Amino acid sequence: MKRKLLRQIANEWRINIWLAIELLLVSAVMWWLTDQLWVKYSIYNEPLGYDYSHCYRIHVSTLNEKSPDFDPHVDYEAEIADMQTMIQRLEARPEIEAVGIGINSHFFNQNNSNQNIHIDSLGGFYLKRWVTPGFMKVFRIHGANGESPEEMAALLEKMPWNSFMATDNLFRDKEGIPTMKPYIGKIFHSGADSIEWTLTAAMTPLRYSDFSQTYKSPSVLMPLTPATFPYVNETVVRVKENMDKDFIANIMSDALGNLRVGNFYIASVESFDDIRDGYNLNQKQKMQQTVVWSLFLLLNIFLGVLGTFWFRTSQRTPEIALRMANGATRGDIMRRILAEGLLILIAVTPISAAICLFMAHSELNSSYMGLYLEPVRFVGCTLITFGLVALMILIGSWLPARKAMSISPAEALKTE
């Protein structure tokens, strides 16, 4: 049967060569689309590097000068003391596990700060987070060597002002250095100044958002000092598990009572689930558009290939009837029809893989972890593409062949 099938394919080479070209182009386009979706899915499922569940941002504001409760005699030191008192009162609440403050530091944030950090010829501008030790416990940030959030908080508390922590991937994107562990304890510089900055610890990589690659999200973290206190604009808390219910309402009911300190008061409270959803909304819509367009193109390709094989098989109804009249079984006919399309696909797959390899080598596809060509990803997308095209061929051949075999040979041959 194999020899007869190969002979038939060779005899119909004019038709089959156009079919092979179509399958070749379809496979290459589908591989590119599959690669796009593979990268999108991989990025979205990368670990964030922190835990925002049960976390809230407390918006602390200052009384207006026109308020009857405004105290105009509060000086700089008193403001620091008032803020510390507010933090202590928040920490004393039974439902709160940890409290931290910072400057443009929390995740899913529209506001950013940056810092120029370099050692020798390595470095550049990186996202900077100025925070208190509680920030590490609020978001449960771990060290690159497995240090717990509590250990990282204790380390941050002892750090001098001219020291910093860095995510373990700080030099990975631009410099190709996989880890910052060898640089712990080394002296860095910032821009053209003479200040020496010491790297105290390396943290697990922290993603900027759900749609940013870990690979491209390096950052540094510095201890908040009295000199930077005037710029504090974030207060974040972690609530103990099973104590989220009515947390916002309970805080706000006490906002002008026990939690009102000096000129500071709590204006509002927002959960990080809502902050995350709001921040990701635009990027999520863009990703959904990409996925929808990709699926739309895949559907059009699917229908095109399906139609080609449907028409091809329907045109062979008299041939199928003649074979059945000569004693061929339904199984023999079905296997032959399906095998014909699959053999053509198998023949063009190596050529299609070579084209896809060229696209990846030429960086015409998406970058992931700094790579355009990755063995697992390339082979995975190739196998998925082969499987999808093979499915199109099977459906496009099986349905019309089954219909053709239901017609009696005498009736089918009347058209000849």
Side-chain angles (χ1 to χ4, degrees):
M1 179 178 175
K2 292 181 180 179
R3 291 182 179 179
K4 290 181 180 179
L5 180 58
L6 293 173
R7 190 180 301 115
Q8 180 177 349
I9 293 175
N11 290 336
E12 298 176 352
W13 67 270
R14 288 184 178 85
I15 298 175
N16 289 331
I17 196 168
W18 288 110
L19 184 61
I21 292 173
E22 179 182 356
L23 291 178
L24 179 64
L25 295 175
V26 163
S27 296
V29 172
M30 286 193 66
W31 179 90
W32 186 86
L33 290 173
T34 303
D35 182 79
Q36 298 286 313
L37 296 176
W38 180 294
V39 170
K40 297 286 186 186
Y41 178 82
S42 299
I43 292 174
Y44 191 76
N45 286 278
E46 285 182 351
L48 290 171
Y50 50 89
D51 181 6
Y52 65 88
S53 61
H54 309 292
C55 292
Y56 296 80
R57 176 175 178 178
I58 296 179
H59 296 269
V60 178
S61 295
T62 305
L63 290 173
N64 189 282
E65 294 179 359
K66 296 180 180 180
S67 171
D69 296 324
F70 179 78
D71 185 355
H73 305 295
V74 176
D75 57 17
Y76 178 72
E77 287 75 15
E79 282 190 342
I80 295 178
D82 288 342
M83 177 57 73
Q84 290 173 339
T85 300
M86 178 178 282
I87 292 173
Q88 290 170 359
R89 291 181 182 180
L90 286 170
E91 290 175 331
R93 295 182 69 90
E95 70 268 46
I96 291 180
E97 181 179 313
V99 181
I101 60 175
I103 303 172
N104 300 335
S105 299
H106 74 67
F107 305 99
F108 313 113
N109 201 338
Q110 298 287 355
N111 299 317
N112 295 305
S113 301
N114 60 69
Q115 181 75 35
N116 185 316
I117 289 289
H118 64 265
I119 180 170
D120 299 327
S121 61
L122 307 175
F125 283 91
Y126 301 99
L127 179 69
K128 175 178 66 175
R129 295 184 170 95
W130 257 327
V131 298
T132 58
F135 185 89
M136 313 298 283
K137 292 186 284 187
V138 169
F139 293 106
R140 294 181 176 174
I141 298 173
H142 290 76
N145 289 315
E147 298 94 336
S148 68
E150 290 72 22
E151 290 173 326
M152 296 297 285
L155 182 61
L156 180 61
E157 192 169 11
K158 298 176 183 177
M159 285 170 53
W161 69 270
N162 60 335
S163 59
F164 69 101
M165 295 180 179
T167 52
D168 205 32
N169 63 338
L170 193 73
F171 286 166
R172 186 173 181 182
D173 182 16
K174 296 179 180 179
E175 315 295 347
I177 297 174
T179 177
M180 292 299 292
K181 296 174 186 177
Y183 293 90
I184 295 176
K186 300 270 176 117
I187 302 298
F188 289 69
H189 292 86
S190 178
D193 59 39
S194 59
I195 299 175
E196 294 183 343
W197 299 83
T198 304
L199 177 61
T200 305
M203 305 174 289
T204 54
L206 307 172
R207 289 175 65 192
Y208 192 75
S209 71
D210 294 74
F211 298 95
S212 61
Q213 295 188 41
T214 303
Y215 183 77
K216 293 183 176 293
S217 300
S219 61
V220 297
L221 188 148
M222 296 179 173
L224 196 62
T225 64
T228 55
F229 176 81
Y231 305 103
V232 168
N233 59 358
E234 297 170 355
T235 302
V236 293
V237 301
R238 169 171 287 276
V239 175
K240 296 175 182 177
E241 292 188 20
N242 303 319
M243 298 192 74
D244 291 271
K245 184 179 180 182
D246 299 326
F247 171 73
I248 295 178
N250 292 336
I251 289 290
M252 293 308 300
S253 67
D254 205 14
L256 298 178
N258 185 54
L259 295 178
R260 156 82 194 287
V261 182
N263 290 328
F264 293 117
Y265 72 97
I266 294 176
S268 62
V269 183
E270 188 176 11
S271 75
F272 266 88
D273 289 324
D274 293 337
I275 292 173
R276 171 182 175 265
D277 290 342
Y279 181 82
N280 286 332
L281 181 61
N282 186 42
Q283 292 179 327
K284 187 176 181 179
Q285 289 175 340
K286 289 181 179 179
M287 183 176 181
Q288 288 174 341
Q289 289 174 357
T290 301
V291 172
V292 168
W293 276 109
S294 298
L295 293 177
F296 176 75
L297 290 174
L298 287 173
L299 178 62
N300 277 272
I301 293 171
F302 182 88
L303 294 176
V305 175
L306 184 69
T308 297
F309 279 89
W310 192 295
F311 178 78
R312 175 186 173 88
T313 305
S314 298
Q315 290 293 100
R316 302 174 72 173
T317 298
E319 177 187 335
I320 293 172
L322 184 60
R323 287 182 179 175
M324 290 184 66
N326 289 330
T329 65
R330 290 174 176 267
D332 292 336
I333 294 173
M334 189 65 74
R335 283 191 294 271
R336 183 159 185 169
I337 290 174
L338 297 181
E340 183 177 351
L342 292 177
L343 277 175
I344 297 174
L345 175 61
I346 292 171
V348 302
T349 294
I351 304 173
S352 172
I355 295 174
C356 297
L357 187 65
F358 173 78
M359 285 194 291
H361 183 73
S362 302
E363 301 182 356
L364 299 176
N365 56 335
S366 296
S367 170
Y368 181 59
M369 300 298 286
L371 299 174
Y372 291 86
L373 178 59
E374 189 181 8
V376 174
R377 174 178 151 199
F378 178 81
V379 173
C381 290
T382 301
L383 292 176
I384 292 173
T385 299
F386 180 86
L388 289 174
V389 178
L391 179 63
M392 298 175 193
I393 293 173
L394 292 176
I395 295 175
S397 302
W398 180 76
L399 289 175
R402 185 170 176 271
K403 182 179 179 181
M405 285 187 290
S406 65
I407 302 173
S408 64
E411 185 178 348
L413 291 172
K414 284 181 182 179
T415 59
E416 289 295 294

